[in-house]
Amino acid sequence: MSGEFDLIDWIRNQQRNSPLIHIGVGDDLAALNWPAGDLLLVGVDQVIDGVHFDSAVHSPRQIGRKAMNRNLSDCAAMGCLPTAAVVAVALPKNRSLDEAKELYNGLREAGDAFDCPIIGGDTGTWDGKLVVSVTILGKSAGQKPVTRRGSRPGDGIYVTGPLGGSILGRHLTFEPRIKIGREIAPHASAMIDLSDGLSRDLPHICKASGVGAIIEASLVPIHSDAIELSRRDKISALDHALNDGEDYELLFTSNQDVAGGIRVGRITAEPGIFLEDERTNRISLIPRGWEHRIDA
Amino acid sequence: MSGEFDLIDWIRNQQRNSPLIHIGVGDDLAALNWPAGDLLLVGVDQVIDGVHFDSAVHSPRQIGRKAMNRNLSDCAAMGCLPTAAVVAVALPKNRSLDEAKELYNGLREAGDAFDCPIIGGDTGTWDGKLVVSVTILGKSAGQKPVTRRGSRPGDGIYVTGPLGGSILGRHLTFEPRIKIGREIAPHASAMIDLSDGLSRDLPHICKASGVGAIIEASLVPIHSDAIELSRRDKISALDHALNDGEDYELLFTSNQDVAGGIRVGRITAEPGIFLEDERTNRISLIPRGWEHRIDA
C-alpha cells in the first residue's frame, strides 16, 4: 500500500510542466530538450546523516533543502544557471512515507526557487541511515563557466559575505548565491563556493591556477555567528571565519573590484598561501577546514 | 595523507580526454559540449549494501561494475547511447583508499565498455555502510527515446534473453543490453529493463500505456540459473523466471517480430495482466518481484 512505487507516483504528480522536459519523472530515464549552444554543466553532491546533518535534530524538509541548495551553490560557483536535478535517496526503513514526502518537499522548494525541477530519482529503503544524493544539471546560458584555474598574480581575492560559525544554523538555511554568481562571473578569473572553509577552498584555486595567495586578516568579514561561537569555545572569531566549513558564500578572484565582492587578499606569483596581519607579518595559512578522511 | 582529496586527484588523473568534455573532473561542476539536436536523457540509480550487494561477499570492483551497469541498462531501455556519468559514494570509514580505487575501477571499466566516462563525483566517509549512486547522461543519437507508454492492443510482448535466478551471480555480472536496445528501439512501441522482475516491470508498461497483457507460460524463456535455483528451493523455475529481479534483459512490445526479441505474450485492450497456460487457462499474474518497501 505504501511502497516505493507509491512514492514515485506521488512525485510524478508533483512535477510541473516545462518546455525543457521532453520526458518527465516515471520512465527509465527522463529526457530534456537541451538548448543548442548551451554547455551542459553537471555535478553530484550528497548529504549524509551524521556528517552533513543529524536526522535526530533536523527535519526531513531541512535536510532536503540543504541537499538541493549545496548543488545549486555549485552552479553559483560556475556562474551557470541550474536547469534540472535528479535525486537518489537511501531511506532508513523506519522512516514513514510522510517523512519521505517532506524530504522531497524540501528538495523541491529549494529547486523551485531557481526554476530547477526534479526530473528523476531513485528511492531505496535499507537498514542504514539517510543518504541523499543530488545531481544537478546547469546551463551556461551565455556565460563561459568560471573554473578554479584562471587566477593571475595581482588579482584580488574576494568573498560574497561574512564567514564562520555556520554550524549554529546557517549550514541548513543558506541561500545559494546563484544571482550574484551570474553577476560576478563575467569579471571573475576563478571562482569556487566556500563549502569546506576559506583555508581549504582557497588552495583549490591556487593549485589549479598555479599561483600563491595572501589573505589580509583585517579584511576577512566575520559573521556574527563566528563571534558567538568564539564566545563559547574560545577559538578566535577570525579562526572560525577562516576555517569553518559550509558558509556557501562564493570565493573568487578578479583583476578589478566587483559589486558584491568583499576583497580579502591578493593572488601572488610565489607559491604558498599566507595570512598577513596589519603589520604585514605573514604566517602560513594552514588548511583547517573540513575534510572527510578515508582511513588508509 | 590519504584523504578525500587524494582520491579526487587520483580520479582526475584517470580521466580520458574526449571532445565532448569541456571541463572534466575536479572543478565545482564538469561541463560538456552537448551535441546540437540530441535529446539529453538523464537518470539516477543507486546500489545499497545489504540490498543490491553484500559488501562482506562482493568485491569493491564487482560493486562498482554493477552500479554503473544498472544505469547503462536504463540507457538500453530507452534506446539511447550512454554519454557520461557522475558518481556519489558514501564510503564506510574503515574502507581503505585502495578499496575506494577498486570501486572506482569497477565503475570506470563498466563505463568504458560503452564510451561513458565518469566526469564528476562526490566521496564522503561515514559510520554507515556503502552506498553508490550513479547518475547517467545519455543522448538520443538519432533515435526517439522509447518510453513505457506506447503499447497498443495486439502488440507482441518480447524479452531479450532467458530469465530467473540472477541471484546466483548474474545480478553482478550482466552485460547491459545497449547494442540490442538500439537495434530494437526503432521497432518497439514501449520498452523497459527487467530490474524488478517480469511480473513487476510489465505492469509499468501496461499502466503507462493503458492496456492489459497476457503472458503465455510456455513461451517464457527460463534461464538455467532459474532451474538450478528451483532444484534448491522447490519453487518452480517458471516462478523464478516471472518474479526474480535483476535479469537486466529488455522487455518490449512491438507490432512485429524483431531480431533478438523472444515473444512471450501479447498486449490486450482489456485491463489486467494474466498468465495463460497451453490449454488457454488464465490466472492473474501477481506482481511478486522485488519492491523496496517504505514502512508507513
Side-chain angles (χ1 to χ4, degrees), chain A residues 49-50 53-59 63 95 129:
Chain A
D49 196 357
F53 63 88
D54 179 352
S55 62
V57 176
H58 304 129
S59 73
I63 296 164
R95 288 299 179 112
K129 290 185 167 181

Side-chain angles (χ1 to χ4, degrees), chain B residues 20-57:
Chain B
L20 191 76
I21 302 174
H22 186 80
I23 301 169
V25 172
D27 224 292
D28 292 273
L29 298 174
L32 297 177
N33 300 300
W34 198 254
D38 259 327
L39 286 171
L40 165 65
L41 290 99
V42 60
V44 61
D45 197 83
Q46 64 195 340
V47 294
I48 298 176
D49 196 358
V51 179
H52 304 95
F53 62 87
D54 178 351
S55 61
V57 175

Side-chain angles (χ1 to χ4, degrees), chain B residues 16-259:
Chain B
R16 296 178 311 164
N17 285 323
S18 153
L20 191 76
I21 302 174
H22 186 80
I23 301 169
V25 172
D27 224 292
D28 292 273
L29 298 174
L32 297 177
N33 300 300
W34 198 254
D38 259 327
L39 286 171
L40 165 65
L41 290 99
V42 60
V44 61
D45 197 83
Q46 64 195 340
V47 294
I48 298 176
D49 196 358
V51 179
H52 304 95
F53 62 87
D54 178 351
S55 61
V57 175
H58 305 129
S59 73
R61 197 157 189 144
Q62 286 177 309
I63 296 163
R65 285 186 60 90
K66 178 170 183 175
M68 180 62 74
N69 278 332
R70 275 167 62 93
N71 282 272
L72 294 170
S73 184
D74 283 325
C75 286
M78 302 298 286
C80 75
L81 288 180
T83 306
V86 296
V87 180
V89 181
L91 195 68
K93 278 187 179 158
N94 60 357
R95 288 300 179 112
S96 70
L97 189 58
D98 279 347
E99 287 176 295
K101 287 180 180 177
E102 272 295 284
L103 179 70
Y104 175 81
N105 282 333
L107 288 157
R108 186 184 51 165
E109 68 189 11
D112 280 354
F114 294 96
D115 272 331
C116 182
I118 298 169
I119 59 169
D122 180 29
T123 306
T125 59
W126 74 321
D127 291 328
K129 289 185 169 182
L130 182 63
V131 179
V132 183
S133 167
V134 176
T135 299
I136 196 97
L137 305 178
K139 61 188 175 208
S140 50
Q143 173 59 52
K144 188 165 172 264
V146 184
T147 69
R148 302 171 179 180
R149 61 179 61 205
S151 297
R152 299 275 180 81
D155 283 355
I157 302 172
Y158 302 83
V159 296
T160 53
L163 308 179
S166 75
I167 193 70
L168 294 185
R170 268 157 48 235
H171 73 106
L172 281 167
T173 59
F174 67 93
E175 294 283 333
R177 303 298 189 223
I178 301 283
K179 185 164 175 287
I180 197 167
R182 291 287 287 179
E183 291 166 4
I184 290 166
H187 314 291
S189 51
M191 190 151 60
I192 191 172
D193 69 324
L194 285 168
S195 53
D196 294 328
L198 179 61
S199 70
R200 283 216 96 91
D201 287 321
L202 179 56
H204 292 315
I205 284 182
C206 289
K207 186 177 175 190
S209 299
V211 296
I214 295 169
I215 296 294
E216 296 176 49
S218 64
L219 298 180
V220 175
I222 294 174
H223 198 281
S224 57
D225 287 340
I227 295 167
E228 169 61 25
L229 206 54
S230 172
R231 259 191 224 117
R232 299 187 199 177
D233 66 11
K234 310 300 176 199
I235 294 169
S236 81
L238 177 64
D239 277 345
H240 279 296
L242 293 171
N243 301 319
D244 288 357
E246 305 213 272
D247 288 306
Y248 300 107
E249 297 292 347
L250 300 176
L251 171 68
F252 67 97
T253 62
S254 177
N255 62 5
Q256 58 186 287
D257 287 350
V258 180

Side-chain angles (χ1 to χ4, degrees), chain A residues 199-215:
Chain A
S199 71
R200 281 217 97 90
D201 287 321
L202 179 57
H204 292 316
I205 284 182
C206 289
K207 186 180 176 189
S209 299
V211 297
I214 295 169
I215 296 294

Side-chain angles (χ1 to χ4, degrees), chain A residues 1-7 9 12 22-23 25-34 36-49 51-52 70-71 73-75 77-78 80 86-91 93-98 100 119-131 133 135-138 144-149 191-193 196 200 204 207 290-296, chain B residues 1-7 9 12 22-23 25-34 36-49 51-52 70-71 73-75 77-78 80 86-91 93-98 100 119-131 133 135-138 144-149 191-193 196 200 204 207 290-296:
Chain A
M1 206 180 113
S2 58
E4 178 187 342
F5 297 116
D6 294 279
L7 183 61
D9 279 347
R12 187 182 299 133
H22 184 80
I23 301 169
V25 172
D27 223 291
D28 291 274
L29 299 174
L32 298 177
N33 300 300
W34 197 255
D38 260 327
L39 286 171
L40 164 66
L41 290 98
V42 60
V44 61
D45 196 82
Q46 65 195 339
V47 295
I48 298 175
D49 196 357
V51 178
H52 304 95
R70 277 167 61 93
N71 282 272
S73 184
D74 283 324
C75 286
M78 302 299 285
C80 75
V86 296
V87 180
V89 181
L91 195 68
K93 278 186 179 160
N94 59 357
R95 288 299 179 112
S96 70
L97 190 58
D98 279 347
I119 59 170
D122 180 29
T123 306
T125 59
W126 73 320
D127 290 327
K129 290 185 167 181
L130 181 62
V131 179
S133 168
T135 299
I136 195 96
L137 304 178
K144 188 167 171 260
V146 184
T147 69
R148 302 173 178 180
R149 60 180 62 206
M191 191 149 63
I192 191 171
D193 69 326
D196 294 328
R200 281 217 97 90
H204 292 316
K207 186 180 176 189
W290 194 22
E291 178 176 7
H292 316 288
R293 292 200 67 79
I294 298 168
D295 303 320
Chain B
M1 205 181 109
S2 58
E4 180 188 339
F5 297 117
D6 294 279
L7 182 61
D9 279 347
R12 188 183 298 133
H22 186 80
I23 301 169
V25 172
D27 224 292
D28 292 273
L29 298 174
L32 297 177
N33 300 300
W34 198 254
D38 259 327
L39 286 171
L40 165 65
L41 290 99
V42 60
V44 61
D45 197 83
Q46 64 195 340
V47 294
I48 298 176
D49 196 358
V51 179
H52 304 95
R70 275 167 62 93
N71 282 272
S73 184
D74 283 325
C75 286
M78 302 298 286
C80 75
V86 296
V87 180
V89 181
L91 195 68
K93 278 187 179 158
N94 60 357
R95 288 300 179 112
S96 70
L97 189 58
D98 279 347
I119 59 169
D122 180 29
T123 306
T125 59
W126 74 321
D127 291 328
K129 289 185 169 182
L130 182 63
V131 179
S133 167
T135 299
I136 196 97
L137 305 178
K144 188 165 172 264
V146 184
T147 69
R148 302 171 179 180
R149 61 179 61 205
M191 190 151 60
I192 191 172
D193 69 324
D196 294 328
R200 283 216 96 91
H204 292 315
K207 186 177 175 190
W290 194 24
E291 179 175 7
H292 316 289
R293 291 200 67 80
I294 299 168
D295 303 322

Side-chain angles (χ1 to χ4, degrees), chain A:
Chain A
M1 206 180 113
S2 58
E4 178 187 342
F5 297 116
D6 294 279
L7 183 61
I8 291 171
D9 279 347
W10 182 83
I11 290 173
R12 187 182 299 133
N13 291 331
Q14 307 302 306
Q15 190 173 288
R16 298 178 311 164
N17 285 323
S18 154
L20 191 75
I21 301 174
H22 184 80
I23 301 169
V25 172
D27 223 291
D28 291 274
L29 299 174
L32 298 177
N33 300 300
W34 197 255
D38 260 327
L39 286 171
L40 164 66
L41 290 98
V42 60
V44 61
D45 196 82
Q46 65 195 339
V47 295
I48 298 175
D49 196 357
V51 178
H52 304 95
F53 63 88
D54 179 352
S55 62
V57 176
H58 304 129
S59 73
R61 197 154 188 145
Q62 286 178 308
I63 296 164
R65 285 187 59 88
K66 177 169 183 174
M68 181 62 76
N69 278 331
R70 277 167 61 93
N71 282 272
L72 294 170
S73 184
D74 283 324
C75 286
M78 302 299 285
C80 75
L81 288 181
T83 306
V86 296
V87 180
V89 181
L91 195 68
K93 278 186 179 160
N94 59 357
R95 288 299 179 112
S96 70
L97 190 58
D98 279 347
E99 287 175 296
K101 287 179 181 178
E102 271 296 282
L103 179 71
Y104 175 80
N105 283 333
L107 287 157
R108 185 184 51 164
E109 70 190 8
D112 279 354
F114 295 96
D115 274 330
C116 183
I118 297 170
I119 59 170
D122 180 29
T123 306
T125 59
W126 73 320
D127 290 327
K129 290 185 167 181
L130 181 62
V131 179
V132 183
S133 168
V134 177
T135 299
I136 195 96
L137 304 178
K139 61 189 173 207
S140 50
Q143 172 60 52
K144 188 167 171 260
V146 184
T147 69
R148 302 173 178 180
R149 60 180 62 206
S151 297
R152 298 277 179 83
D155 282 356
I157 303 170
Y158 303 83
V159 297
T160 53
L163 309 179
S166 75
I167 193 71
L168 293 185
R170 270 158 45 236
H171 73 104
L172 281 167
T173 59
F174 67 93
E175 294 282 333
R177 302 299 187 223
I178 302 282
K179 186 162 173 288
I180 195 167
R182 291 286 289 178
E183 291 165 6
I184 289 167
H187 314 291
S189 51
M191 191 149 63
I192 191 171
D193 69 326
L194 285 167
S195 54
D196 294 328
L198 179 61
S199 71
R200 281 217 97 90
D201 287 321
L202 179 57
H204 292 316
I205 284 182
C206 289
K207 186 180 176 189
S209 299
V211 297
I214 295 169
I215 296 294
E216 296 177 49
S218 64
L219 299 180
V220 175
I222 294 175
H223 197 280
S224 58
D225 288 341
I227 295 168
E228 169 60 25
L229 207 53
S230 172
R231 259 191 224 114
R232 298 187 198 177
D233 66 10
K234 309 303 177 197
I235 293 168
S236 80
L238 177 63
D239 278 345
H240 280 295
L242 293 171
N243 301 319
D244 288 357
E246 305 214 272
D247 289 305
Y248 299 107
E249 297 292 348
L250 300 176
L251 171 66
F252 67 98
T253 63
S254 177
N255 62 6
Q256 60 187 286
D257 288 351
V258 180
I262 303 162
R263 203 176 77 80
V264 297
R266 60 193 182 277
I267 295 294
T268 61
E270 306 77 49
I273 303 178
F274 299 95
L275 185 67
E276 189 176 81
D277 70 15
E278 282 171 326
R279 295 175 186 170
T280 72
N281 293 321
R282 287 183 197 170
I283 56 169
S284 277
L285 182 63
I286 309 295
R288 288 211 174 85
W290 194 22
E291 178 176 7
H292 316 288
R293 292 200 67 79
I294 298 168
D295 303 320

